Amino acid sequence: MEYEAVIGLETHVQLKTQSKMWCGCANAFGAPPNTNVCPVCLGLPGVLPVANDEALRLTVLGGLLLNCRIPSFAKFDRKNYFYPDVSKNYQITQYDRPSTTEGHLDFEFEGAIRRVRITRAHLEEDVGKSFHFERTSGIDFNRAGVPLLEIVSEPDLASADMAYAYLNALKDVLVYGGVSDCDMEKGMVRCDVNVSVRPRGAADLGAKIEIKNMNSFSGVRRALAYEIPRQIAVLERGGMLVQSTRRWDDAAGITEEMRTKEDAHDYRYFPDPDLMAFEPTESWLDEVRGRVVELPLARKQRFMRDYQLPAADAQTFVDDVALGAYFEGVAGQTRNPKAIANWVINNLRAHLAESQTTLADLRFRPAHLIELVELIDSGRISSRIAQDVFAEFFATGESPAAIVQRKGLSQVSDAGALEALCDEAIAANPGPVADYRAGKSAALNFIKGQVMRLSKGKANPAMAGEILERKLGGNRSGTRA
Amino acid sequence: MPNRLTVCELSRLLSRRELSSREATQACLDAIRQRDPVVRAFLHVDEAGALAQADAADAARRRGRSAETHPLLGIPVAIKDVIAVRNQPLTCGSRILARYIAPYDATVTEALRRAGAIFLGRLNLDEFAMGSSTENSAFGPTRNPWDTTRIPGGSSGGSAAAVAADECSAALGSDTGGSVRLPAAFCGVVGLKPTYGRVSRFGLVAYASSLDQIGLLTKTVRDAALLLETVAGHDPLDSTSVAQPVPPYAAGLDQSVAGLRVGLPREYFVEGGLDAEVRHSIDRAIAQLESLGVEPVEVSLPHTRYALGTFCLIAPAEASANLARFDGVRYGLRVEGADPIEMYARTRGAGFGPEVKRRIILGTHALSSGYYDAYYLRAQKVRTLIRQDFLDTFKQVDAILTPTAPTPPFKLGEKLADPLQMYLSDVFTISCNLAGICGLSLPCGFTTSPKLPIGMQLLGPPFGEEILLRLGYAFEQSTDWHRHRPPL
């Protein structure tokens, strides 16, 4: 029998706020343990939470970017469970009335656009982090109270690779929108995976198995690549799967059972009486709507359509937002955006990297790049020379035309001058000339190279080729250089 | 004996330099030393700190600081040990916080500090404010200054007893189901529970967050008005505090009460539900108000009989989560165990008293999966009905008058074995918290033998403190119940 996997993901990302969710402590990574803490996030007796408005805005922004509905009423609930790193022994979250619901995310997978439905994206506070030493344990509460967006997907994913593609697309959207930095190195993204298997085409879902608390996308992919065949193997042996929670052991590359449904937590959710319900006004929503940006996939498709860019170039501008924005600024003023894209991707990027500078440090103006492309397109300089001109104005900011003028780099397109250069090259290279005439068409390239050399790179290569062919006996079919 | 003075009287003498804050503070400290071994209102007396603050207040006054900018300048007050005062103990009457020191000031503490008040120390209470007699304190009960074989009421029993015994000029308490008003009535002082949201809860250790409100215990209604002006107002640190302007409560006290309508809810005056002497005092108080031009009107609050049951679900449910943080991990008592679960069980088993455990268990059950709808959710719906009863009634009347408690203060130990009887002490006060409105208890008589205080309760609409204080002040001015002193 053939089986299929049904996968849903719960993804927690840290919201990009200056301060924590309920207090003024910094939302910052890397500080010494228990330094970004205060009575509120430590859960000392008598403290009260006050919602961080930017976190509320980023939550709704995240929802909008994921095409979610924004209900007019949302609230916060207490999720009760005892754990040493939960300072209040309850976590404030949104249980049955989340800030955003019913959205979807489109992304590219295996050459097609796929859609995963988003059940909800809600706000929740992070907890502290436990450290286990030889005989004791310690807890760092720097992370306690950091705002998280929990994005819950419908079980619309069918494979480990698809889950991986979804997570990357989700990350792109959130980073793009300024909702989260999604820096996995800093623990800003964590995933719970729900996965079941069933006979292909079956209507009912198999027993749901949750794999908890994974902190990398590749970990999710590897865990699923392990877990799906494991479940299928159990069924094929005639075994039964029960709803349970498993842990991914990254080092061993296996999942292990933590608990089954029978000993599942009763979180005793109830509305947090310390916090008022959240009912966004229209003007508040408008402000957040004003922060909605174009999403990566839409941007890629637009770049391909509007600027006739190949997919890879468009993707480059999606991945490097600043570079894409720079390109757009220039491309709007030129008739040859594709050439501009080539210069930006191939030359500008390399020069920036080499000089360890950024777009903000550029010495030349966008008009210079446009001018450069026009100099090439009009035949005034060769592509070869253009490389030098680019390097020159990247370094100095001088205009390309001025550089060409000053250095006398204009392409030699004057037929008389080129004839003379060709004659000189033919005379100096009797061997290759003989080869060419004997049918070795490749020899023409060598002679053309000599013409370029004699002209110090300024000869118009296409014209030189034509002149040489004419002088050496014309165009022999089938043996064009 | 400056410790016997009201806040307003004391403030006048201090302003005229007829008395120093040091003298006033010393008088309170002397009274504490003399009386508190019996009354046991204080859990902690900060003698050196109080005198240093008093000296600082006197020095500031010499430099020109006055009551105009610092309305409580040099006034010795004391605070229930469930409200944080920086660098002072915050035990909540519990073994679990027996050695805990608060690292920050509650918003009300800060407000009192800014107003120039002197902090004498920490006042006894039922553990985590859960109780009606102050017998649930892990550090022993407070005794009623009028009869030390009796309880002072609770949970702010220490606050009421300290004010009644002239151990301080005024005190802060907290009121979740009557915890300010009941002890005020039992000890013969004034107790004000402001509207939910009127006073910041930041720094008040939460019992039931949607019901808790910091309240005042004073010798007179005028003092309550003055203190309310000081502590009321919106606090950015408390999302449930309301940005409603704070009126000049004290300045409005002298306005006439003639023509005001006061409702007498029939459900609070049922035959057999009320001690005869309490009933007599209340009837006399109604007549007294009538003679001042107040019009009594019979009203009905039909959902009253559900109030206690509703309270007994909502308050423990919230408490079960609020008290979860006392786990031995970060502060307070820790009893080690083999793993965290065992440590929690041992710590909380040793740290909490029986009433706290009872309410945590009740509340945990009420929130449990499968019971939530029938208990907690249903209770919240009934709560809405109770609130609506009051809002409807306040369309007809300016305030509501009831006894504060069905009986005079009872004997120590009398109701300890029967939690339900104990809960019934609050039967007249809890609706106010469920409805989120304001309530004032003030002395309206005494039983004959022994002489025990009787309190009447005035309930007002949301943010209707002005009316309550005005009515209370008019009553107080026309009677002398507040001038009686316990036989200590």
Side-chain angles (χ1 to χ4, degrees):
Chain A
M1 195 188 304
E2 237 197 297
Y3 288 90
E4 64 180 3
V6 179
I7 303 162
L9 294 176
E10 292 166 20
T11 312
H12 299 78
V13 302
Q14 267 183 24
L15 291 175
K16 194 175 178 175
T17 55
Q18 295 290 311
S19 56
K20 292 189 182 181
M21 187 61 223
W22 314 114
C23 59
C25 289
N27 172 12
F29 176 81
N34 297 310
T35 52
N36 289 333
V37 294
C38 73
V40 173
C41 54
L42 285 175
L44 297 193
V47 297
L48 296 171
V50 177
N52 177 337
D53 203 48
E54 176 64 0
L56 296 171
R57 284 193 290 263
L58 288 178
T59 299
V60 167
L61 178 59
L64 291 172
L65 294 173
L66 295 170
N67 307 292
C68 287
R69 199 167 64 75
I70 312 300
S72 56
F73 177 96
K75 66 179 175 70
F76 291 99
D77 302 278
R78 294 183 181 178
K79 177 183 183 178
N80 296 285
Y81 63 104
F82 277 84
Y83 206 80
D85 61 19
V86 184
S87 59
K88 305 180 290 298
N89 284 316
Y90 61 80
Q91 202 181 350
I92 304 175
T93 181
Q94 297 184 305
Y95 178 53
D96 55 351
R97 303 296 292 270
S99 280
T100 83
T101 62
E102 298 161 85
H104 62 261
L105 173 64
D106 290 339
F107 60 102
E108 290 176 303
F109 178 64
E110 290 177 345
I113 304 291
R114 308 296 288 266
R115 172 167 294 186
V116 164
R117 290 168 298 156
I118 304 294
T119 317
R120 55 193 284 172
H122 67 260
L123 189 50
E124 154 171 311
E125 64 173 330
D126 207 347
V127 298
K129 196 169 186 228
S130 297
F131 292 89
H132 301 289
F133 310 116
E134 206 169 313
R135 299 182 59 89
T136 58
S137 294
I139 306 160
D140 178 6
F141 287 102
N142 282 349
R143 220 174 60 182
V146 162
L148 301 177
L149 183 65
E150 177 172 350
I151 302 123
V152 182
S153 86
E154 292 288 312
D156 291 349
L157 298 155
S159 70
D161 286 340
M162 190 177 178
Y164 184 75
Y166 159 80
L167 286 170
N168 278 300
L170 182 63
K171 176 187 161 183
D172 286 348
V173 166
L174 298 173
V175 172
Y176 241 71
V179 174
S180 171
D181 285 333
C182 292
D183 190 335
M184 275 180 274
E185 303 288 310
K186 296 180 181 169
M188 288 182 184
V189 187
R190 274 160 280 154
C191 282
D192 298 335
V193 178
N194 291 304
V195 54
S196 61
V197 297
R198 63 182 171 188
R200 187 169 295 283
D204 292 340
L205 290 168
K208 185 175 87 175
I209 289 174
E210 187 178 17
I211 313 171
K212 279 288 220 203
N213 216 4
M214 274 173 292
N215 50 22
S216 78
F217 295 167
S218 57
V220 171
R221 179 159 66 178
R222 288 175 60 220
L224 282 168
Y226 171 86
E227 179 64 16
I228 294 166
R230 185 193 72 83
Q231 291 186 19
I232 292 171
V234 170
L235 295 180
E236 281 180 338
R237 280 200 308 272
M240 275 263 295
L241 290 163
V242 293
Q243 187 175 329
S244 54
T245 301
R246 300 179 73 85
R247 174 192 302 115
W248 168 244
D249 182 336
D250 200 68
I254 58 166
T255 62
E256 302 165 302
E257 188 166 287
M258 285 166 71
R259 56 176 183 263
T260 57
K261 193 190 177 188
E262 283 71 43
D263 39 40
H265 281 298
D266 177 359
Y267 290 118
R268 304 189 310 279
Y269 290 98
F270 76 104
D272 192 328
D274 288 333
L275 291 160
M276 307 302 281
F278 177 59
E279 295 169 277
T281 62
E282 212 35 51
S283 64
W284 188 94
L285 278 173
D286 279 341
E287 199 200 316
V288 178
R289 285 188 196 111
R291 291 166 67 175
V292 169
V293 296
E294 186 183 31
L295 291 187
L297 181 60
R299 184 175 172 89
K300 180 176 176 183
Q301 289 170 332
R302 186 172 60 80
F303 273 61
M304 291 171 69
R305 186 182 66 239
D306 290 0
Y307 303 117
Q308 302 293 310
L309 300 188
D313 287 1
Q315 189 62 46
T316 301
F317 291 137
V318 169
D319 295 342
D320 189 335
V321 179
L323 200 70
Y326 178 81
F327 162 73
E328 277 212 277
V330 184
Q333 309 165 40
T334 173
R335 278 167 315 208
N336 191 352
K338 177 136 185 22
I340 296 287
N342 283 334
W343 280 99
V344 169
I345 292 172
N346 298 329
N347 297 68
L348 179 56
R349 220 162 38 147
H351 277 82
L352 287 173
E354 198 182 315
S355 60
Q356 293 188 341
T357 55
T358 69
L359 289 166
D361 309 317
L362 285 187
R363 295 200 172 158
F364 67 89
R365 289 181 288 115
H368 292 165
L369 202 52
I370 294 165
E371 199 176 290
L372 182 71
V373 169
E374 278 168 1
L375 287 172
I376 303 164
D377 289 351
S378 65
R380 290 216 27 228
I381 59 173
S382 68
S383 320
R384 243 284 294 121
I385 290 291
Q387 300 285 342
D388 299 338
V389 174
F390 181 89
E392 181 89 17
F393 73 69
F394 180 86
T396 64
E398 195 180 355
S399 92
I403 296 168
V404 169
Q405 179 75 32
R406 181 164 57 75
K407 295 196 159 180
L409 297 174
S410 268
Q411 187 161 257
V412 180
S413 299
D414 171 61
L418 280 176
E419 295 257 353
L421 287 168
C422 288
D423 288 341
E424 197 181 332
I426 289 167
N429 296 285
V433 167
D435 286 349
Y436 178 74
R437 286 191 167 134
K440 274 195 193 166
S441 56
L444 188 67
N445 279 340
F446 176 81
I447 305 165
K448 198 160 83 184
Q450 295 307 305
V451 174
M452 296 308 290
R453 194 173 62 78
L454 288 169
S455 73
K456 299 197 176 70
K458 291 185 287 183
N460 181 327
M463 282 179 71
E466 279 167 26
I467 293 167
L468 286 173
E469 273 183 29
R470 177 161 49 73
K471 286 186 184 287
L472 296 176
N475 182 5
R476 305 178 178 201
S477 62
T479 58
R480 278 197 68 148
Chain B
M1 291 213 282
N3 56 308
R4 298 192 57 162
L5 300 175
T6 68
V7 172
C8 294
E9 290 164 349
L10 187 53
S11 179
R12 209 172 306 124
L13 293 184
L14 289 169
S15 292
R16 293 194 205 129
R17 312 271 181 97
E18 288 172 24
L19 190 71
S20 69
S21 175
R22 187 177 181 95
E23 288 166 319
T25 304
Q26 190 59 58
C28 289
L29 292 171
D30 291 346
I32 293 168
R33 194 171 292 169
Q34 191 186 4
R35 299 171 166 190
D36 218 47
V38 177
V39 176
R40 303 183 67 173
F42 279 84
L43 290 176
H44 172 76
V45 181
D46 181 19
E47 201 166 321
L51 290 173
Q53 293 170 60
D55 287 344
D58 287 332
R61 195 183 294 280
R62 283 194 294 275
R63 288 197 309 271
R65 186 173 289 178
S66 78
E68 252 170 63
T69 52
H70 296 73
L72 300 177
L73 185 60
I75 307 286
V77 302
I79 297 180
K80 186 180 185 181
D81 200 11
V82 75
I83 299 168
V85 177
R86 194 178 152 86
N87 296 331
Q88 292 287 306
L90 180 60
T91 70
C92 302
S94 180
R95 274 190 299 277
I96 211 159
L97 290 176
R99 286 204 286 270
Y100 182 75
I101 305 291
Y104 71 95
D105 270 344
T107 299
V108 290
T109 307
E110 216 177 81
L112 291 178
R113 226 188 257 290
R114 253 200 325 272
I118 311 303
F119 301 129
L120 292 167
R122 317 291 295 146
L123 293 166
N124 200 10
L125 69 161
D126 285 298
E127 185 176 5
F128 288 104
M130 296 181 187
S132 310
S133 68
T134 315
E135 290 168 292
N136 293 334
S137 169
F139 309 110
T142 296
R143 287 158 193 269
N144 193 314
W146 291 89
D147 176 351
T148 54
T149 68
R150 289 174 191 269
I151 56 93
S155 64
S156 309
S159 304
V163 173
D166 293 319
E167 295 176 354
C168 60
S169 304
L172 290 190
S174 68
D175 189 317
T176 304
S179 281
V180 161
R181 291 159 289 155
L182 184 72
F186 281 2
C187 293
V189 299
V190 173
L192 175 66
K193 184 210 94 83
T195 304
Y196 188 79
R198 176 76 291 185
V199 176
S200 168
R201 292 186 296 118
F202 187 83
L204 166 67
V205 180
Y207 158 19
S209 313
S210 73
L211 301 161
D212 295 341
Q213 188 67 189
I214 288 172
L216 311 164
L217 292 116
T218 56
K219 296 176 188 183
T220 63
V221 172
R222 184 174 283 281
D223 283 1
L226 181 68
L227 259 74
L228 183 60
E229 281 176 28
T230 307
V231 298
H234 179 249
D235 178 9
L237 297 178
D238 177 0
S239 318
T240 63
S241 76
V242 178
Q244 179 100 0
V246 178
Y249 294 112
L253 291 176
D254 294 309
Q255 288 179 58
S256 164
V257 294
L260 291 181
R261 292 158 64 89
V262 168
L264 307 172
R266 108 173 37 107
E267 293 80 4
Y268 285 61
F269 290 94
V270 287
E271 279 311 312
L274 213 52
D275 174 271
E277 284 188 285
V278 172
R279 175 77 206 227
H280 174 68
S281 288
I282 295 294
D283 286 346
R284 207 174 37 198
I286 295 166
Q288 181 64 31
L289 280 170
E290 230 177 328
S291 75
L292 299 173
V294 174
E295 184 190 342
V297 183
E298 190 183 274
V299 295
S300 174
L301 299 163
H303 295 93
T304 296
R305 68 195 182 98
Y306 302 111
L308 193 57
T310 303
F311 182 88
C312 287
L313 287 168
I314 292 175
E318 293 180 6
S320 72
N322 284 330
L323 271 63
R325 69 188 60 197
F326 305 110
D327 59 3
V329 173
R330 284 146 298 127
Y331 51 81
L333 178 74
R334 176 192 291 179
V335 183
E336 298 289 350
D339 55 30
I341 302 294
E342 194 179 80
M343 181 187 77
Y344 297 150
R346 287 183 174 176
T347 299
R348 291 163 67 82
F352 290 141
E355 184 59 30
V356 171
K357 287 178 186 165
R358 188 177 295 126
R359 294 193 194 190
I360 289 174
I361 290 168
L362 251 169
T364 303
H365 183 66
L367 290 175
S368 297
S369 159
Y371 296 97
Y372 179 86
D373 288 3
Y375 290 150
Y376 187 77
L377 198 62
R378 175 69 60 91
Q380 287 291 12
K381 288 176 180 169
V382 177
R383 180 178 183 174
T384 305
L385 296 174
I386 290 169
R387 177 173 167 86
Q388 202 53 53
D389 277 0
F390 279 98
L391 298 185
D392 291 345
T393 302
F394 286 126
K395 287 175 192 155
Q396 313 162 42
V397 297
D398 299 293
I400 290 169
L401 189 154
T402 78
T404 307
T407 66
F410 44 89
K411 292 270 190 182
L412 280 157
E414 190 180 326
K415 298 188 178 177
L416 261 187
D418 189 347
L420 209 60
Q421 278 304 309
M422 187 73 91
Y423 298 162
L424 281 170
S425 313
D426 294 331
V427 68
F428 295 150
T429 50
I430 45 176
S431 292
C432 171
N433 302 76
L434 289 167
I437 59 174
C438 54
L440 176 72
S441 177
L442 65 162
C444 72
F446 287 90
T447 58
T448 41
S449 182
K451 185 183 179 186
L452 299 170
I454 294 169
M456 76 169 176
Q457 174 178 240
L458 291 167
L459 298 173
F463 300 98
E465 285 84 355
E466 270 178 296
I467 292 269
L468 297 190
L469 291 165
R470 203 189 339 154
L471 276 167
Y473 182 70
F475 178 80
E476 197 181 72
Q477 290 303 101
S478 69
T479 58
D480 70 348
W481 306 117
H482 63 290
R483 290 191 219 282
H484 291 236
R485 280 291 178 280
L488 280 166

